[in-house]
Each structure stands twice: as C-alpha cells, then as structure tokens.
Amino acid sequence: MCSDCAPHNDGARTESPPRLRYYFRCGAEVERDPLAGDMSGDTVGLTLMHGSSKHKIEISAVQEGCEPTLQDMATVIAQVTGVPQQLQKLIFKGKSLKEMEQPLSVLGVKNGCKIMMIGKKNSPEEEAELKKLKELEKSTDQLSHKLEEINAELTGIQNGFLAQDLQSAALSKLEKKVKSTSEQCMKFLEQIDAMSLPDDFSDCRHKRKSLVKNVQNYLAQCDVIETNISQQLEKLQSKNLTLAD
C-alpha cells in the first residue's frame, strides 16, 4: 500500500482493534490528519467482521452533496483486509450487497452497523502474476500519453498553426510515430496473451481482461489518428495541385 493510501494513525493511545479512518470526496479517497480539525459531511462508522477478525472503519464524505458509496466501502475493505474487491462478498443484515454505485445510506448502511465480508486473500503465486500485470499496465499507460501528444500535434496542423510548406514533413513524421505506437500495442497484446493463468486466479484474470481492453482501445485510437493524418495529407496535396495550376 502506498503512503498516500495508508491508514492514518489518530495519534491517540493504542486501541484494540485499531480504528482506521478513510475519507472520500465524491468517490475519490482522501487521507486526512485527524489533528487538522473537524470535517464537514457525514461520517459512517462501521464494524467489519471478517472471519475471526473485527475491524473498525470510518468512511466520510468531505464534499457537500456527496456520500460514500458501496464501491468506496469495498475499496477500504480491500485495503484493510487485503482481499481484492472481486473476491469480496459483502453481507448486511443477511443480504448480499452488490450495487457498488449506491450510497451507503440508500442501502440502509448507517453509523454503527455491522458488515460481514466473506473472501480470502490471493495466494502468493497469484500475487506474483498480478504484480507482472500491474507492471505491464504502467508500461501501457505510456501509450496513452504518446497518443495524446500525436493527436495534439495533428490538431495544431489541422488548425493551421504550422506553415503549409512544413506540414507535409510534419504529417509524415506523425504517421511514423502512430505506426510505431500501433506496433507497441501489438507487442503488449502478445505479452499479455503469453501469460498462462490458472482458472482460480480470478483477480489476475480480471486485471488481464481490463488490460487487454485498454490496449485494444489504444489500437483503435491509432487507426483513427492514422486515418485523420491520411485525410490531412490528401487535403494538403489537393491544395498544392490547385496552387500549381
């Protein structure tokens, strides 16, 4: 867990079980020093039962008009217990909670309620594979930045921010960049496809599916940008022919 997401110690005397505090701003987790003063918004203090363990957690909505949702609670539970959200079965008053976008208040979850969670942590073997997938995910994120840069340059040319006599060379350069990015996407897909995951590695399989979807989306963006570059080159050639006549 990164330092930004780590539970904040209240600074008071040690209690058993420890009280962990998490705060949310419209679904985004925010760490807050409890010594910094009071916060506005409702706080939902819950008792989480997980096997023989009991955890006290508090989830707060910081921004006015926002409430913590079941998704927020599941995220906290994953951090506290180490059980991934996909493997969690959350039970409240004998009923399974599944509507992740619903505010806790709508689901009847209020201050002082008890939540039961059934689920177990990933095995060390699955965690090792999950780490590989997360490293791949970081690498593929760079593709998104490259495509944004290419698209920004192309937009500038389309809007006439570059002298016409320089546009042809610039567009050819962009075309090479987008083809290179497309090739990188294919290599990433080959790497992901080469990973052999057992059927019971559900967290890994979920992560791989999400990663494949992202890379395929980048490939689709490459196709669109490449088409736009070709169209811009055709327009430029047409203009040059008109001027020559």
Side-chain angles (χ1 to χ4, degrees), residues 155-173:
T155 301
I157 294 171
Q158 289 172 328
N159 291 332
F161 297 150
L162 186 66
Q164 189 169 323
D165 59 328
L166 300 176
Q167 289 184 14
S168 182
L171 287 167
S172 296
K173 188 176 179 181

Side-chain angles (χ1 to χ4, degrees), residues 107-153:
L107 298 171
V109 180
K110 300 177 182 178
N111 196 48
C113 287
K114 289 184 179 180
I115 300 292
M116 180 182 290
M117 192 270 287
I118 299 173
K120 62 179 182 179
K121 299 179 183 180
N122 291 326
S123 66
E125 292 79 11
E126 182 169 6
E127 281 298 321
E129 294 300 315
L130 195 57
K131 185 178 180 182
K132 292 178 186 177
L133 285 165
K134 287 179 179 178
E135 287 172 354
L136 268 175
E137 187 176 39
K138 287 181 182 178
S139 298
T140 58
D141 285 344
Q142 296 176 9
L143 297 175
S144 177
H145 298 313
K146 284 185 180 179
L147 289 170
E148 286 176 5
E149 290 174 1
I150 293 170
N151 213 21
E153 286 185 57

Side-chain angles (χ1 to χ4, degrees), residues 21 24 50 55 57-58 73 80-82 87 94 97 101 135 157-158 162-163 171 178 198 205 207 237 242:
R21 293 189 175 183
F24 293 84
H50 178 218
H55 304 275
I57 57 175
E58 292 183 357
M73 187 177 76
V80 172
T81 64
L87 303 181
L97 300 176
E101 301 306 317
E135 287 172 354
I157 294 171
Q158 289 172 328
L162 186 66
L171 287 167
V178 76
R205 286 180 168 274
K207 173 62 73 176
Q237 290 170 358
T242 302

Side-chain angles (χ1 to χ4, degrees), residues 2 13 18 20 28 76 85 94-95 98 117-118 128 133-134 143 146 151 157 175 208-209 222 225 234 241 243:
C2 68
R13 282 183 281 179
L20 303 174
V76 171
Q85 182 185 321
K95 294 183 179 180
K98 297 179 180 179
M117 192 270 287
I118 299 173
L133 285 165
K134 287 179 179 178
L143 297 175
K146 284 185 180 179
N151 213 21
I157 294 171
E175 194 170 35
R208 182 170 68 178
K209 184 178 180 180
C222 285
I225 294 172
E234 288 175 5
L241 286 172
L243 291 173

Side-chain angles (χ1 to χ4, degrees), residues 27-38:
E29 185 177 344
V30 179
E31 180 183 356
R32 172 194 177 260
D33 187 343
L35 300 178
D38 294 333

Side-chain angles (χ1 to χ4, degrees), residues 164 167-168 171 229-245:
Q164 189 169 323
Q167 289 184 14
S168 182
L171 287 167
I229 290 173
S230 296
Q231 290 175 348
Q232 190 65 26
L233 278 168
E234 288 175 5
K235 287 180 182 179
L236 185 61
Q237 290 170 358
S238 179
K239 284 182 180 179
N240 289 338
L241 286 172
T242 302
L243 291 173
D245 291 341

